[in-house]
Amino acid sequence: MCGFVACIFNEPQKSVYKLKEMNKMIPHRGPDQEGYMNGDHVQLGFSRLSIIDLEGGYQPLSYMNGRYWIVFNGEIYNYVELRQDLLAKGKHFETDSDTEVILALYSEVGEQVIQYLRGMFAFVIWDSHEKKAFAARDHFGIKPFFYKEGKDSFICASEKKSLEIDENSEVNSQALHHYLSFQYVPEPYSLTKDIFKLEPGHYLVKKIGQEAIIKSYFKPMFSPVNKTEEDWVSQIREKMYESVEKHMRSDVTVGSFLSGGIDSTIIASIAKDIKPDLETYSVGFSQDGYSELDVAKESAEKLNIKNYSKVITAQEYWQELPKIMWHMDDPLADPACVPLYFVAKEASERVKVVLSGEGADELFGGYNIYREPQSLACFQYVPTVLKKKLRKLAAILPEGMKGKSFLERGTTPLEERYIGNAKMFTELEKEKLLISYNAGFSNELITKKIYEHSSQQHSVNRMQHLDLYTWLRGDILVKADKMTMAHSLELRVPFLDKEVFELASHIPVEWKTTNGTTKYILRKAFEGIVPDHVFMRKKLGFPVPLRHWLKNEWYDYAKKLISDSETDAYLDKTYVHHLLEEHCLDKADRSRKIWTVLSFMIWHQVYIEQKYDYTSWLKERNMEDKMVKVSI
């Protein structure tokens, strides 16, 4: 729901600091209302997607005769209960919005407000008496928060593009190194120099004349507790039903995404019990072996709910890439971004809110890679000296030789071999690819501190923990937010509820990756509820035929993009062309590495070369007749 911009100044301002221009960059996040507040030290802008209290929940919103002001993106799912408690304490409300609940609660408990909130959020509160701003981002990073701090001001926004008005973007070299490792830019960095992301589970305080202070309020950790299978099953089922019910609180219609996988099917199955006329939305490809539409449609039939679907062609996939990268702010080389963009477009024609299954894999142990510690368990009995010799042997074996990968992984410590769910270019490969390679920017800068916090944990828990801090917030939730907001659609993720995590964090490893599967105990919890045909299916995610398209329909497009893009200062294009030719000659599957480079090149054309102009599109999305202006 919505998007905001906020500017805090150390000295009083006589004019509005590009506020309207900044807000005009994000009309897709909130086409229903546009609002502003202009004070001496603060300026707030807001674009609203009306979900709760359609008539009264306008922003920027004030409280206590204008002492407090807020701009807030997200939803607070326990706002009804919080409001009742605050009313009992004598607090007064003029709206029925969750936004006013945050302000009333802040007036009561100050910075402790975030400890009470159950939901997804990014917000800025301005206290006009104390001349300070308090801002926070939700526990898992469902909602975005970009900021830039200078000598005279602190500015922040829901999207990075709002902070780049009339400024020439400069690529952050360290962030580029990390992007080529992870396929996304890990937090707190962005690919633009001097612009950062407030990390999930963090808040900041900006006082006039002082630098912003950032603090952590939530650090997800796993701490196993022994319970019976029956206990886990009943508690997981109960908590998920409660979470979905709260996530369906809305004054507008709520739908649900539905793939061929178990996570979205669990959400849809629960939501259908709460809302029998639930509508679901799916997407797939015409390429054989790369579509889950038949499975999704079968699920919808067995659940007796409507399903709308979209088939994506190779051509329309490629054509939408520049606009998708514009929405992304930073390059993201996850091929699933595009099908998510199209299914969000399909859903937005019928609803304003959809439920989705993001977060289940990270919380309940759903990725196939989490089974790796089991397959490599035999190496724990191999002496260290022998491991080193086996690792040297593996290094000289030919690529693709049977057993090479097994030896490499088994003799490499977890901290070195696992950097998260996606590993694109190794340091040796980046040295070939980058014109100005810096060994000091290795991926250890991101992963080392995270691994240190879980040093006493089981390997599976350590992998999940790393993914919570990297993959989930850097890839999964970025594309979920950006691709749905591109179509003014709010996405809600019931698995990523702080109370669901509290329960999941105590599940022992033996109830996750066991019996030859993943998410074992989650699957058991929904036996008889989720249709049988999806119950034990192999995890696919959003399968995209990149490998095939790069050899065929996209080959000429890719070759031309590599030649035309003005990225010679960063990348060795000879090496990139070599990767493409190797892939097309079937010498090796280089599709994901090529896609990582192509995504950066398209992003560079959009934001650095400014090859594409979205001015006219932005003007169409901005609605002058729905503007609400307020000031103090």
Side-chain angles (χ1 to χ4, degrees):
M1 155 186 131
C2 318
F4 65 80
V5 296
C7 309
I8 313 298
F9 303 97
N10 290 329
E11 298 295 332
Q13 299 294 299
K14 294 182 179 179
S15 61
V16 176
Y17 172 79
K18 302 179 184 177
L19 188 68
K20 191 171 182 179
E21 290 82 356
M22 293 169 67
N23 204 40
K24 289 292 186 182
M25 296 300 292
I26 54 173
H28 46 283
R29 298 195 74 93
D32 297 332
Q33 175 249 337
E34 184 180 354
Y36 298 94
M37 183 275 274
N38 181 25
D40 289 340
H41 291 278
V42 61
Q43 295 170 3
L44 305 175
F46 193 71
S47 294
R48 185 190 185 205
L49 181 65
S50 304
I51 303 294
I52 291 175
D53 191 7
L54 306 185
E55 299 300 323
Y58 293 108
Q59 295 187 45
L61 184 69
S62 65
Y63 193 74
M64 286 183 63
N65 297 318
R67 172 175 177 173
Y68 301 108
W69 288 84
I70 189 173
V71 281
F72 157 57
N73 172 26
E75 302 289 353
I76 305 304
Y77 302 120
N78 63 335
Y79 82 98
V80 174
E81 293 81 1
L82 291 173
R83 191 175 192 272
Q84 290 172 345
D85 290 343
L86 289 165
L87 283 169
K89 293 178 180 179
K91 292 295 180 181
H92 175 71
F93 292 91
E94 295 187 1
T95 76
D96 294 321
S97 68
D98 54 348
T99 309
E100 191 173 17
V101 169
I102 298 175
L103 275 183
L105 188 58
Y106 182 78
S107 73
E108 181 78 10
V109 300
E111 295 175 7
Q112 293 300 309
V113 61
I114 43 183
Q115 303 300 335
Y116 294 81
L117 303 181
R118 183 178 179 183
M120 56 181 183
F121 54 84
F123 61 76
V124 180
I125 294 174
W126 172 252
D127 184 336
S128 60
H129 288 193
E130 295 191 16
K131 305 295 182 186
K132 75 172 184 180
F134 173 77
R137 191 176 176 202
D138 65 66
H139 302 70
F140 301 101
I142 303 168
K143 285 299 170 184
F145 190 113
F146 291 88
Y147 71 90
K148 182 177 183 179
E149 185 164 25
K151 180 181 178 181
D152 302 318
S153 64
F154 177 93
I155 58 176
C156 56
S158 295
E159 297 195 9
K160 189 179 73 168
K161 58 181 69 66
S162 293
L163 307 183
E164 298 178 287
I165 299 293
D166 299 330
E167 294 184 13
N168 294 322
S169 300
E170 184 178 347
V171 174
N172 181 327
S173 179
Q174 180 177 344
L176 177 58
H177 276 66
H178 294 324
Y179 165 77
L180 293 170
S181 292
F182 296 94
Q183 85 171 14
Y184 55 85
V185 180
E187 297 185 336
Y189 305 101
S190 80
L191 202 54
T192 302
K193 192 174 182 181
D194 298 327
I195 296 179
F196 298 89
K197 305 165 193 168
L198 180 63
E199 294 187 69
H202 283 68
Y203 69 88
L204 67 82
V205 177
K206 165 64 180 175
K207 295 183 179 180
I208 299 304
Q210 301 178 23
E211 289 186 5
I213 298 173
I214 297 176
K215 294 183 179 180
S216 169
Y217 71 86
F218 175 73
K219 293 182 179 180
M221 287 294 294
F222 293 92
S223 53
V225 173
N226 288 324
K227 295 180 184 178
T228 65
E229 180 174 310
E230 292 75 17
D231 284 342
W232 284 120
V233 164
S234 63
Q235 290 177 28
I236 290 170
R237 187 180 296 180
E238 179 183 354
K239 185 56 67 177
M240 283 306 305
Y241 264 88
E242 192 240 359
S243 179
V244 171
E245 184 175 20
K246 277 188 164 51
H247 279 70
M248 294 184 77
R249 283 180 169 174
S250 171
D251 292 337
V252 297
T253 303
V254 178
S256 185
F257 286 156
L258 182 63
S259 70
I262 190 170
D263 303 335
S264 65
T265 313
I266 287 174
I267 299 300
S269 299
I270 298 172
K272 183 257 182 183
D273 286 346
I274 299 168
K275 184 178 184 293
D277 61 344
L278 180 76
E279 292 183 354
T280 60
Y281 312 94
S282 309
V283 69
F285 303 95
S286 56
Q287 189 73 30
D288 289 342
Y290 289 94
S291 184
E292 296 185 299
L293 284 181
D294 290 343
V295 181
K297 288 179 179 178
E298 185 179 353
S299 298
E301 288 174 4
K302 292 188 174 181
L303 292 171
N304 194 28
I305 52 180
K306 287 185 178 180
N307 179 252
Y308 299 91
S309 62
K310 162 74 177 173
V311 176
I312 310 169
T313 67
Q315 184 177 4
E316 60 186 339
Y317 189 115
W318 185 272
Q319 286 177 339
E320 288 297 306
L321 287 173
K323 183 176 281 189
I324 286 171
M325 283 302 163
W326 182 82
H327 278 291
M328 280 296 177
D329 278 331
D330 278 340
L332 177 57
D334 188 336
C337 293
V338 184
L340 185 53
Y341 175 87
F342 279 101
V343 74
K345 183 178 182 181
E346 183 76 20
S348 69
E349 295 175 0
R350 296 174 176 85
V351 294
K352 274 189 172 184
V353 179
V354 288
L355 305 177
S356 191
E358 280 83 355
D361 293 315
E362 291 79 8
L363 268 61
F364 291 92
Y367 294 117
N368 291 321
I369 191 67
Y370 294 160
R371 295 170 60 193
E372 185 184 63
Q374 291 177 337
S375 66
L376 300 179
C378 58
F379 283 94
Q380 65 183 308
Y381 304 108
V382 178
T384 303
V385 175
L386 182 54
K387 278 185 184 178
K388 291 181 179 179
K389 291 181 179 180
L390 289 172
R391 192 174 184 183
K392 289 180 180 179
L393 172 63
I396 62 176
L397 293 176
E399 286 293 328
M401 182 176 179
K402 188 175 182 180
K404 176 182 173 70
S405 175
F406 182 68
L407 281 177
E408 286 178 332
R409 290 181 291 115
T411 56
T412 304
L414 177 66
E415 294 89 343
E416 295 179 34
R417 75 171 186 266
Y418 189 72
I419 67 168
N421 233 284
K423 183 177 182 180
M424 292 300 109
F425 291 93
T426 66
E427 294 303 314
L428 289 175
E429 290 170 331
K430 285 195 292 183
E431 195 169 357
K432 296 177 184 177
L433 175 61
L434 285 164
I435 297 298
S436 300
Y437 173 75
N438 187 331
F441 293 158
S442 75
N443 50 54
E444 274 195 7
L445 286 176
I446 303 298
T447 61
K448 187 176 180 180
K449 289 183 179 180
I450 301 171
Y451 270 125
E452 287 174 351
H453 293 154
S454 65
S455 59
Q456 304 303 312
Q457 294 278 326
H458 187 286
S459 293
V460 173
N461 286 341
R462 300 189 76 194
M463 295 167 81
Q464 288 179 262
H465 183 250
L466 184 75
D467 281 337
L468 281 171
Y469 277 85
T470 55
W471 172 254
L472 179 68
R473 59 174 67 173
D475 183 301
I476 298 295
L477 293 177
V478 170
K479 70 175 185 275
D481 175 79
K482 296 297 179 67
M483 294 298 88
T484 52
M485 283 282 94
H487 301 290
S488 304
L489 179 72
E490 177 175 286
L491 181 139
R492 297 181 178 182
V493 282
F495 280 113
L496 289 177
D497 173 82
K498 70 177 185 179
E499 293 192 15
V500 173
F501 174 78
E502 175 64 23
L503 177 62
S505 68
H506 297 313
I507 299 173
V509 170
E510 56 264 29
W511 293 119
K512 300 174 188 175
T513 55
T514 189
N515 289 357
T517 188
T518 57
K519 288 181 293 202
Y520 171 79
I521 199 65
L522 180 66
R523 296 175 192 273
K524 290 292 291 184
F526 288 93
E527 276 186 340
I529 296 173
V530 170
D532 291 342
H533 69 286
V534 299
F535 198 72
M536 299 302 288
R537 287 186 78 240
K538 180 181 178 181
K539 182 175 180 60
L540 293 175
F542 268 131
V544 178
L546 280 184
R547 183 175 183 176
H548 172 84
W549 286 349
L550 284 168
K551 294 178 185 177
N552 299 283
E553 293 94 331
W554 287 356
Y555 175 75
D556 290 335
Y557 294 151
K559 197 168 184 178
K560 187 175 189 302
L561 174 60
I562 295 167
S563 298
D564 291 351
S565 98
E566 298 173 14
T567 53
D568 305 74
Y570 307 103
L571 306 176
D572 183 337
K573 289 187 176 180
T574 301
Y575 180 65
V576 180
H577 278 294
H578 172 71
L579 290 176
L580 181 61
E581 296 309 316
E582 264 196 335
H583 179 76
C584 292
L585 294 172
D586 283 327
K587 290 184 177 180
D589 181 2
R590 306 296 191 198
S591 57
R592 294 299 298 275
K593 296 182 190 297
I594 295 166
W595 190 247
T596 300
V597 174
L598 296 182
S599 297
F600 169 69
M601 288 178 167
I602 295 171
W603 173 87
H604 193 273
Q605 287 185 334
V606 171
Y607 277 102
I608 307 300
E609 301 169 40
Q610 298 185 348
K611 183 176 179 179
Y612 301 92
D613 181 13
Y614 292 107
T615 305
S616 59
W617 180 81
L618 284 171
K619 287 181 179 178
E620 289 176 9
R621 295 300 301 264
N622 281 299
M623 298 186 177
E624 299 292 337
D625 59 321
K626 293 191 177 183
M627 184 183 300
V628 174
K629 290 187 178 181
V630 293
S631 61
I632 57 173

